[in-house]
Amino acid sequence: QVQLRESGPGLVKPSETLSLTCTVSGGSISNYYWTWIRQPPGKGLEWIGYTFYTGSPDYNPSLKSRVTMSLDTSKSQFSLKVTSVTAADTAVYYCVRVSGDYTARPFDYWGQGALVTVSS
Amino acid sequence: DIVMTQSPDSLAVSLGERATINCKSSQSLLYRSNNNNYLAWYQQKPGQPPKLLIYWASTRESGVPDRFSGSGSGTDFTLTISSLQAEDVAVYYCQQYYSTPRRTFGQGTKVEIK
């Protein structure tokens, strides 16, 4: 059974960088697309971007200037960085698997989520 | 961007009764070359991540009870819970995976017991 687990600081100061890592177990990290999705408290879901073990990531245009995603197959991990954070970046961040090696597929495995609060 | 609009925002249904959630996309999600609708439904219970219920608009994910069904094509889709159970209390989201690369979700529909 594929499992995903997010890790990283739960509190980030405004203007600093949010960094999260997702560890994948129970399956290969290669041959699938991986994504981050966030959910502000009490609100809906926002897709952040995709990463794959080859090629360049794709990002939500609304966040593209501040987001970097990367993947390390040797560690079965992928990561997210969001720079210059504000209170609007406070959310539960989910790492998620796309159900195939093509982005036009649904999201089939989700981590439990990591709450990141932006506050001084 | 493709905008996904769900209706209603919330609904209360008696146990054993039918619940119907609608989802409308701002452009067609039907890919004519394979006749597939690039639309998924997710269920999110309080304090949990979303769970994939339905993909290709009408295909149930493995392990999902058959009281959940999806229908529709093009721009109009429906998620139906044929006989609401207590464990179905959740927020339900539709999501399009047609538009590359950006994926968008509906705003969510909260289902409660009447």
Side-chain angles (χ1 to χ4, degrees):
Chain A
Q1 178 77 344
V2 175
Q3 293 187 319
L4 293 82
R5 180 172 52 87
E6 304 89 352
S7 58
L11 181 64
V12 181
K13 290 183 168 56
S15 80
E16 296 190 346
T17 297
L18 177 161
S19 296
L20 291 172
T21 297
C22 182
T23 302
V24 179
S25 59
S28 173
I29 198 169
S30 302
N31 301 319
Y32 289 93
Y33 274 85
W34 303 90
T35 189
W36 290 93
I37 292 168
R38 69 181 184 178
Q39 185 172 36
K43 296 189 177 180
L45 299 160
E46 181 180 34
W47 172 78
I48 299 172
Y50 286 117
T51 188
F52 194 56
Y53 76 106
T54 63
S56 300
D58 274 322
Y59 304 129
N60 187 324
S62 68
L63 297 167
K64 190 171 186 176
S65 64
R66 299 192 295 125
V67 169
T68 302
M69 295 176 62
S70 60
L71 186 148
D72 185 338
T73 56
S74 66
K75 296 181 179 179
S76 285
Q77 293 178 334
F78 62 103
S79 65
L80 170 71
K81 292 186 188 298
V82 182
T83 61
S84 304
V85 297
T86 69
D89 295 307
T90 294
V92 175
Y93 286 76
Y94 294 103
C95 60
V96 185
R97 192 184 83 167
V98 180
S99 60
D101 60 354
Y102 183 46
T103 59
R105 293 291 183 272
F107 306 127
D108 61 354
Y109 285 96
W110 296 63
Q112 283 300 306
L115 174 61
V116 180
T117 301
V118 178
S119 174
S120 56
Chain B
D1 284 356
I2 297 179
V3 178
M4 307 298 291
T5 305
Q6 292 180 227
S7 62
D9 289 333
S10 65
L11 75 161
V13 176
S14 300
L15 289 172
E17 295 300 305
R18 179 185 300 262
T20 301
I21 301 169
N22 299 303
C23 175
K24 189 174 185 66
S25 60
S26 61
Q27 66 185 71
S28 177
L29 304 182
L30 176 63
Y31 193 45
R32 295 213 176 266
S33 66
N34 59 18
N35 205 36
N36 281 332
N37 285 281
Y38 286 52
L39 186 283
W41 288 97
Y42 300 85
Q43 174 194 64
Q44 186 176 31
K45 297 181 180 181
Q48 296 185 18
K51 171 189 172 184
L52 177 63
L53 292 179
I54 303 278
Y55 56 97
W56 302 129
S58 61
T59 301
R60 259 190 310 276
E61 175 73 329
S62 176
V64 173
D66 61 7
R67 64 180 180 273
F68 291 93
S69 64
S71 62
S73 184
T75 61
D76 293 281
F77 302 91
T78 301
L79 175 69
T80 301
I81 309 172
S82 60
S83 175
L84 191 75
Q85 305 299 303
E87 62 264 32
D88 301 334
V89 169
V91 178
Y92 293 83
Y93 294 93
C94 61
Q95 178 242 334
Q96 64 82 15
Y97 47 99
Y98 181 96
S99 171
T100 300
R102 187 165 179 173
R103 302 290 178 253
T104 47
F105 293 85
Q107 79 277 18
T109 296
K110 186 174 184 178
V111 174
E112 300 174 307
I113 304 295
K114 184 187 292 184

